[in-house]
Amino acid sequence: MSLRSPLGRVLGLGTAKDGTEHWWGQRVSGVALVLLGLWFAVSLATLPSLGYADVHAFVAELPNPVLLILLCLTMAYHSYLGVQVVIEDYVHGHGAKVFSLVVSRFAHIFFAGVGVFAILKIGIGA
């Protein structure tokens, strides 16, 4: 039996004050991925073929690079949020958790940057 009050027992055990923002980020990026993914699937389905020349021409047309960059960045953000939750839930050592979160963030930024660079390289025509 504890002599502490109910308030004293829960003090310091509340939210980290960012759960709502994280939740909304996942939902909004998920909706954006549905819309962008549908656009991408329909666009690929309407191409005459999936050969190099047709896909290159598709990526070089003006609205497509912008939408592809949005798809790439949204996918990286949504993936990062999901991986962050898994790491926070299942990696228990503090040092390992921090290391995993840092590596995850850098990996997601790196791969998003590579994707954007590839799209810009084709879109600009360099």
Side-chain angles (χ1 to χ4, degrees):
M1 177 166 171
S2 174
L3 296 178
R4 296 181 67 188
S5 70
L7 177 63
R9 284 195 297 269
V10 298
L11 243 131
L13 299 177
T15 67
K17 308 260 190 296
D18 67 343
T20 306
E21 180 180 335
H22 195 275
W23 187 87
W24 273 109
Q26 283 183 320
R27 292 338 178 252
V28 170
S29 64
V31 169
L33 281 176
V34 167
L35 298 174
L36 290 168
L38 285 173
W39 162 80
F40 186 64
V42 168
S43 296
L44 286 182
T46 58
L47 285 178
S49 75
L50 294 178
Y52 177 79
D54 289 330
V55 174
H56 191 281
F58 167 75
V59 175
E61 288 180 27
L62 186 54
N64 297 333
V66 174
L67 292 172
L68 284 171
I69 288 172
L70 285 174
L71 177 65
C72 184
L73 293 176
T74 305
M75 197 178 307
Y77 178 67
H78 188 78
S79 172
Y80 171 71
L81 291 177
V83 170
Q84 179 185 1
V85 169
V86 170
I87 291 171
E88 289 173 349
D89 287 348
Y90 295 107
V91 178
H92 298 294
H94 180 70
K97 184 181 292 189
V98 170
F99 177 76
S100 299
L101 288 170
V102 169
V103 167
S104 172
R105 176 165 288 188
F106 281 127
H108 281 89
I109 290 170
F110 173 76
F111 287 118
V114 168
V116 169
F117 175 75
I119 294 165
L120 287 176
K121 187 166 172 82
I122 294 172
I124 292 173

